[in-house]
Amino acid sequence: MMIRVVRMHFTEAGVEEFLRIFQRHQKAIRHFPGCRHLELWREVDDPCCFVTYSHWERMEDLERYRTSDLFATVWGQAKSLFSERPQAFSVERERVVD
């Protein structure tokens, strides 16, 4: 399983619109093939900063989502609301043996 974290800063005026976009599309993202989990977090010290936290079966599933019409729609609507360039990274849980 792969974990994807995307941190996004929005303009004050863009926050409510982003929340509407996320609300409208979250079920479709959660049901996208390979997506196992999706959460939206809001930073405590910066109410204009949000983080999406998602689990994907494989990197190929995430890449399929990132090239999908669904992603193009969601990202296309959200990107005009950013105040800074988003930061994204993917990680895997490390299995540590005692």
Side-chain angles (χ1 to χ4, degrees):
M1 181 183 63
M2 199 228 14
I3 298 169
R4 181 71 168 183
V5 178
V6 182
R7 186 171 189 246
M8 302 164 286
H9 285 87
F10 294 93
T11 63
E12 283 187 43
V15 167
E16 291 304 315
E17 180 60 21
F18 167 71
L19 290 171
R20 281 190 288 275
I21 293 165
F22 187 84
Q23 180 69 30
R24 191 167 44 245
H25 297 287
Q26 66 180 329
K27 286 182 184 176
I29 297 168
R30 283 188 176 109
H31 289 99
F32 197 88
C35 183
R36 297 295 172 241
H37 183 80
L38 173 66
E39 292 182 28
L40 179 65
W41 302 339
R42 190 178 209 165
E43 283 198 14
V44 173
D45 296 330
D46 184 352
C48 294
C49 186
F50 291 83
V51 174
T52 56
Y53 173 81
S54 56
H55 295 184
W56 297 85
E57 282 293 320
R58 300 179 322 244
M59 188 62 149
E60 294 84 13
D61 297 320
L62 174 62
E63 289 305 319
R64 197 172 308 109
Y65 167 67
R66 292 180 66 208
T67 59
S68 71
D69 290 340
L70 175 59
F71 179 83
T73 298
V74 173
W75 201 250
Q77 293 173 2
K79 70 181 179 181
S80 67
L81 307 172
F82 295 142
S83 63
E84 297 177 19
R85 184 180 174 161
Q87 299 170 321
F89 60 93
S90 301
V91 296
E92 291 180 324
R93 284 191 181 145
E94 187 64 33
R95 305 261 187 244
V96 178
V97 179
D98 289 329

